[in-house]
Amino acid sequence: MSKRKETLMFVYNAETGLYNKLIDFAHKSLKPSTYSCSLCQLTYGHFSAKPEWTQFLGTLGLDVKFLYKDELKDSDYEYPIVLLEDDKGIASVLIDNERLQAIETLEELIKEVKLQLS
């Protein structure tokens, strides 16, 4: 019997495209308290993923995907959200939007991901 393959999916409350990325960058920089993607705020600096986040993800032993909300078709999720997808394509909610909104630091997010995966 083969081992089940899982993928951790982080879905941002942002949309694809250069224009959207520029708007998000400006919004995060100028008015971070009103920015709508708590996952982005926790895991990214101004230009790239925080090094401790990247390092943590490398220790999980899972495939990891990062998606924008417009890349997840036909879903009724509230974003941001963290999903777990298996080899059959069935995604289950690992950390919902409400929980992500309550997390205030990257360290708390890392603890929550560990807890939910255990």
Side-chain angles (χ1 to χ4, degrees):
M1 178 179 273
S2 63
K3 185 176 180 186
R4 193 172 87 172
K5 181 140 173 101
E6 294 179 319
T7 300
L8 194 56
M9 296 172 49
F10 294 92
V11 186
Y12 298 109
N13 189 24
E15 295 189 0
T16 56
L18 180 60
Y19 174 76
N20 291 320
K21 288 180 183 181
L22 292 173
I23 295 298
D24 287 344
F25 173 78
H27 195 169
K28 281 193 302 188
S29 299
L30 301 173
K31 194 93 168 167
S33 63
T34 62
Y35 186 62
S36 62
C37 186
S38 59
L39 183 59
C40 297
Q41 288 179 314
L42 291 168
T43 61
Y44 271 78
H46 289 293
F47 300 105
S48 63
K50 294 178 179 176
E52 57 268 38
W53 178 241
T54 303
Q55 181 181 8
F56 165 69
L57 293 174
T59 67
L60 294 177
L62 293 172
D63 288 338
V64 179
K65 274 192 214 177
F66 301 94
L67 301 171
Y68 294 96
K69 66 182 180 181
D70 59 329
E71 294 178 297
L72 205 59
K73 306 292 183 213
D74 301 323
S75 70
D76 293 325
Y77 298 120
E78 288 186 48
Y79 302 103
I81 195 165
V82 181
L83 303 169
L84 192 61
E85 181 180 53
D86 66 19
D87 54 354
K88 295 182 180 174
I90 299 167
S92 61
V93 176
L94 193 69
I95 305 172
D96 66 14
N97 173 271
E98 185 177 348
R99 178 67 186 121
L100 280 171
Q101 297 296 337
I103 295 173
E104 296 182 0
T105 67
L106 180 57
E107 292 76 24
E108 286 180 46
L109 176 60
I110 288 170
K111 285 179 186 176
E112 185 68 19
V113 170
K114 286 179 181 178
L115 176 68
Q116 295 304 320
L117 289 174
S118 62

